[in-house]
């Protein structure tokens, strides 16, 4: 299985348990890994034979900003489910969701969750 990557995707959203997070919002960063069979597009050089990064980015943005979640765990799950639903060539997705502005009284780079979801684990979504 081949891999496709989107690294450092920045999206502004309103996720968090504190009222100010839901009101003011903050920047989140994502590292996305998608597993797919890329044998055909490696031969044909045709966009329709592969996973379209731009289309996936739109799916991620829409899924991530459609609702305001308390937990980044739930937000990450929603993104993974949407990508599998809308992009049938993606067999598995891994997502590291980083929250650099988490409300903690400490100096840190970010807090994060890492979620992986495969088509089989998601009940065959998108097939």
């Amino acid at each position: 299985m081949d891999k496709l990557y989107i690294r450092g995707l920045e999206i502004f959203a309103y996720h968090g348990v504190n009222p100010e997070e839901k009101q003011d919002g903050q920047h989140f960063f994502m590292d996305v890994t998608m597993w797919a069979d890329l044998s055909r597009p490696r031969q044909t050089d045709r966009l329709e034979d592969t996973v379209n990064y731009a289309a996936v980015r739109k799916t991620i943005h829409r899924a991530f900003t459609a609702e305001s979640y308390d937990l980044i765990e739930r937000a990450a799950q929603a993104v993974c489910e949407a990508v599998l639903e809308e992009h049938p060539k993606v067999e598995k997705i891994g997502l590291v969701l980083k929250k650099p502005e988490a409300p903690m009284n400490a100096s840190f780079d970010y807090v994060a969750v890492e979620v992986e979801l495969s088509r089989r684990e998601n009940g065959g979504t998108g097939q």
Side-chain angles (χ1 to χ4, degrees), residues 1-7 9 30-36 51 56-57 59-60 63 75-87 89-96 114-122:
M1 199 59 51
D2 305 299
K3 294 180 184 178
L4 302 100
Y5 300 96
I6 300 174
R7 294 289 188 245
L9 179 61
M30 297 182 199
D31 293 333
V32 180
T33 304
M34 295 169 284
W35 285 260
V51 177
V56 169
R57 200 261 338 141
T59 298
I60 291 169
Q77 179 74 17
V79 168
C80 291
E81 289 171 349
V83 170
L84 290 177
E85 177 71 31
E86 296 178 22
H87 303 278
K89 290 181 177 77
V90 176
E91 291 296 324
K92 180 179 176 182
I93 182 169
L95 173 68
V96 178
E114 183 171 6
V115 173
E116 287 187 1
L117 189 62
S118 70
R119 199 163 287 290
R120 282 176 294 199
E121 294 166 336
N122 201 36

Side-chain angles (χ1 to χ4, degrees), residues 8-127:
L9 179 61
E10 181 178 354
I11 301 176
F12 190 87
Y14 298 87
H15 305 302
V17 295
N18 296 324
E20 63 273 12
E21 294 178 287
K22 293 198 181 294
Q23 179 181 340
D24 301 336
Q26 59 191 290
H27 296 272
F28 295 84
F29 295 87
M30 297 182 199
D31 293 333
V32 180
T33 304
M34 295 169 284
W35 285 260
D37 179 1
L38 301 179
S39 57
R40 182 166 175 81
R42 289 194 315 249
Q43 298 300 315
T44 65
D45 195 32
R46 293 173 7 145
L47 180 60
E48 58 269 16
D49 291 336
T50 194
V51 177
N52 183 327
Y53 298 103
V56 169
R57 200 261 338 141
K58 287 179 183 177
T59 298
I60 291 169
H61 187 273
R62 184 189 40 71
F64 192 66
T65 60
E67 293 186 40
S68 176
Y69 297 108
D70 288 344
L71 303 178
I72 58 174
E73 292 87 334
R74 178 62 193 124
Q77 179 74 17
V79 168
C80 291
E81 289 171 349
V83 170
L84 290 177
E85 177 71 31
E86 296 178 22
H87 303 278
K89 290 181 177 77
V90 176
E91 291 296 324
K92 180 179 176 182
I93 182 169
L95 173 68
V96 178
L97 176 52
K98 302 172 187 177
K99 185 176 180 177
E101 300 169 34
M104 299 190 317
N105 189 16
S107 177
F108 61 97
D109 289 336
Y110 56 83
V111 298
V113 296
E114 183 171 6
V115 173
E116 287 187 1
L117 189 62
S118 70
R119 199 163 287 290
R120 282 176 294 199
E121 294 166 336
N122 201 36
T125 295
Q127 290 187 358

